[in-house]
C-alpha cells in the first residue's frame, strides 16, 4: 500500500507541475485524497476520485478517473479541484 501511495503521490506532483498547479498544501487533506485514490485503484482498478460517487456504469465512471473530466474547469473557477488535490499556484 505504501508503494502504491508513493506512486500516486509522485504522479500527482508531476501532473500538477506540468499544468502550473500545486498539490494541496494541507498535508492531512492531501494524504486523505491520496489514500482515497490508492483505495479506489486497489479495489476498483482505477484512480476514481474519492470525492465523487461512482454510478457503477464503467463508461460513465471514466469521467471521474483522476484527473477527472471536471478538474480543469473547477481549478479555473474555484482555484482548486473538487477533491482539493490540485490548486492554482497563486
Amino acid at each position: 500500500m505504501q508503494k502504491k501511495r508513493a506512486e500516486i503521490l509522485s504522479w500527482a506532483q508531476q501532473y500538477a507541475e506540468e499544468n502550473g498547479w500545486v498539490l494541496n498544501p494541507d498535508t492531512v487533506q492531501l494524504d486523505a485524497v491520496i489514500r482515497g485514490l490508492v483505495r479506489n485503484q486497489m479495489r476498483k482498478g482505477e484512480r476514481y476520485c474519492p470525492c465523487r460517487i461512482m454510478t457503477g456504469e464503467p463508461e460513465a465512471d471514466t469521467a471521474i478517473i483522476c484527473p477527472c473530466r471536471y478538474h480543469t474547469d473547477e481549478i479555473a473557477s474555484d482555484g482548486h479541484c473538487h477533491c482539493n488535490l490540485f490548486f492554482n499556484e497563486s
Side-chain angles (χ1 to χ4, degrees), residues 59-84:
E59 190 172 318
D61 288 339
T62 61
I64 62 168
I65 295 172
C66 187
C68 74
R69 182 174 299 156
Y70 317 103
H71 77 291
T72 53
D73 290 338
E74 292 169 345
I75 295 167
S77 66
D78 303 332
H80 58 85
C81 68
H82 182 69
C83 290
N84 291 310

Side-chain angles (χ1 to χ4, degrees), residues 3 6 8 11 15 18-20 44 62 71-72 80:
K3 182 179 177 184
I8 290 178
W11 161 81
Y15 184 77
E18 289 170 359
N19 288 281
K44 314 264 189 208
T62 61
H71 77 291
T72 53
H80 58 85

Side-chain angles (χ1 to χ4, degrees), residues 27-41:
T27 57
V28 172
Q29 191 172 32
L30 174 62
D31 187 57
V33 175
I34 296 296
R35 282 184 289 125
L37 290 169
V38 169
R39 182 182 61 245
N40 286 340
Q41 175 90 52

Side-chain angles (χ1 to χ4, degrees), residues 21-22 27 35 56 76 85 90:
W21 304 325
V22 295
T27 57
R35 282 184 289 125
L85 177 60
S90 53

Side-chain angles (χ1 to χ4, degrees), residues 4-59:
K4 182 60 74 178
R5 184 192 175 286
E7 288 173 9
I8 290 178
L9 180 59
S10 177
W11 161 81
Q13 288 172 323
Q14 181 177 349
Y15 184 77
E17 288 173 18
E18 289 170 359
N19 288 281
W21 304 325
V22 295
L23 296 181
N24 191 331
D26 179 337
T27 57
V28 172
Q29 191 172 32
L30 174 62
D31 187 57
V33 175
I34 296 296
R35 282 184 289 125
L37 290 169
V38 169
R39 182 182 61 245
N40 286 340
Q41 175 90 52
M42 295 176 77
R43 291 182 184 169
K44 314 264 189 208
E46 293 288 354
R47 272 189 326 251
Y48 292 108
C49 289
C51 55
R52 298 200 186 267
I53 298 171
M54 294 178 62
T55 67
E57 296 186 29
E59 190 172 318

